[in-house]
Amino acid sequence: MRKTFCRWPCFQRELVTNAGAVIPVVVRGEPQRDGEGKLVGIRAMYVDITERKRAEEQFRLVVESAPNGMLMIDSRGKILLVNRQIEQQFFHERIDLLGQSVEILVPERFRNGHSQHRENFFADPQARAMGKGRELFGLRKDGSEFPIEIGLNPIQIAGDTRVLASVVDISERNRTDNALRHSEATTNMLIDSAPDAMLAVDEDGHIVRINKQTEQLFGYERDELIGKQIEGLLTDRMRSALR
């Protein structure tokens, strides 16, 4: 039976109506005492939590269907909820993660400082946008690491602050970025080594790239040309012909 925090003893139960409908309720017990303070009984109050249960189920379905990994932790770092994407990203079964410390998903080289970061966050919980902050890595069940971005959103549940974290695996993005940087470096090298003057302009006619031969041909330094209008390198007659 799952217990719910309240001042007096309380717990959740399901009641069955005369029509056979099942209603989830929270039962709250309040001690009754006589004039001398002696316990003479307990008054029970039944609170229908059908709407709350419905909202919780809707929340769970939204989290489960999210395209990003989603997990919820409490202030002690205990994992309270994970979705299918987290299982796929970290190679863990859900049952292996629930109730565990979130540090199970953090590479060992970062664990010493992770609890302090968590305490600092809960001391002043503020939403943190995806990708903002330090370079982060996740730890898979097989011991491998992978780069991630995390967005944090503090939420209030039953009077407690918890954090719903959105986790994105950026391994493929990093590979693409590295490939683009390599391609850009290769292109620049080829342009610079070309025997002829070469330059590139954008749709507004601004110079965005030149090679060494262009610098030598026109007598300008690279920084003097980048961002300038291409017309600045043309004769008056050529400018008139282009208008």
Side-chain angles (χ1 to χ4, degrees):
M1 183 183 302
R2 189 176 66 179
K3 293 185 178 180
T4 304
F5 172 80
C6 62
R7 182 179 178 184
W8 304 108
C10 62
F11 48 87
Q12 290 188 17
R13 279 189 175 175
E14 292 181 340
L15 301 181
V16 181
T17 67
N18 288 337
V22 177
I23 301 176
V25 298
V26 167
V27 183
R28 292 190 174 96
E30 183 175 346
Q32 301 296 298
R33 304 181 185 278
D34 60 19
E36 297 178 355
K38 182 179 179 181
L39 180 66
V40 295
I42 295 178
R43 182 175 63 182
M45 295 180 292
Y46 293 79
V47 180
D48 186 347
I49 58 171
T50 301
E51 289 303 319
R52 191 181 82 184
K53 284 287 189 179
R54 187 175 292 117
E56 289 176 352
E57 178 61 16
Q58 182 64 32
F59 175 76
R60 187 191 67 79
L61 291 174
V62 169
V63 169
E64 187 63 28
S65 61
N68 298 338
M70 304 290 291
L71 62 87
M72 182 187 294
I73 66 169
D74 63 15
S75 59
R76 296 172 298 172
K78 185 171 71 172
I79 299 173
L80 306 174
L81 176 150
V82 300
N83 70 349
R84 187 181 302 108
Q85 291 295 331
I86 289 290
E87 293 181 288
Q88 294 175 355
Q89 289 173 352
F90 290 90
F91 302 167
H92 278 283
E93 295 292 332
R94 190 172 317 213
I95 192 66
D96 296 330
L97 292 177
L98 295 177
Q100 297 294 321
S101 170
V102 71
E103 273 74 32
I104 193 176
L105 304 178
V106 178
E108 188 172 351
R109 58 197 174 106
F110 297 121
R111 286 180 187 172
N112 287 338
H114 190 266
S115 60
Q116 186 60 55
H117 288 303
R118 184 178 68 250
E119 290 176 11
N120 293 341
F121 182 87
F122 275 94
D124 183 24
Q126 301 289 333
R128 192 180 78 183
M130 182 72 68
K132 183 179 179 181
R134 303 171 296 116
E135 186 178 27
L136 302 174
F137 293 87
L139 178 67
R140 294 191 175 101
K141 187 176 182 179
D142 63 4
S144 61
E145 296 183 13
F146 65 107
I148 58 176
E149 285 186 354
I150 296 180
L152 301 177
N153 287 282
I155 58 177
Q156 292 289 322
I157 297 181
D160 291 334
T161 300
R162 298 173 185 177
V163 173
L164 185 64
S166 178
V167 183
V168 175
D169 180 350
I170 59 173
S171 301
E172 186 59 36
R173 184 200 307 173
N174 285 354
R175 282 192 289 269
T176 301
D177 289 346
N178 289 335
L180 288 174
R181 282 192 291 269
H182 178 73
S183 176
E184 182 76 10
T186 301
T187 300
N188 289 337
M189 182 182 67
L190 291 173
I191 290 175
D192 266 343
S193 62
D196 300 322
M198 299 182 66
L199 56 83
V201 298
D202 62 17
E203 59 184 10
D204 296 320
H206 294 102
I207 300 171
V208 295
R209 177 182 292 164
I210 66 171
N211 67 352
K212 293 178 181 179
Q213 294 296 334
T214 300
E215 292 180 275
Q216 295 174 3
L217 178 65
F218 290 96
Y220 288 101
E221 296 292 332
R222 189 177 305 249
D223 292 342
E224 294 179 284
L225 290 179
I226 298 298
K228 302 297 184 182
Q229 283 284 336
I230 183 63
E231 289 187 359
L233 299 179
L234 305 179
T235 64
D236 291 340
R237 186 174 65 179
M238 292 186 67
R239 289 196 200 102
S240 299
L242 292 174
R243 294 192 180 105

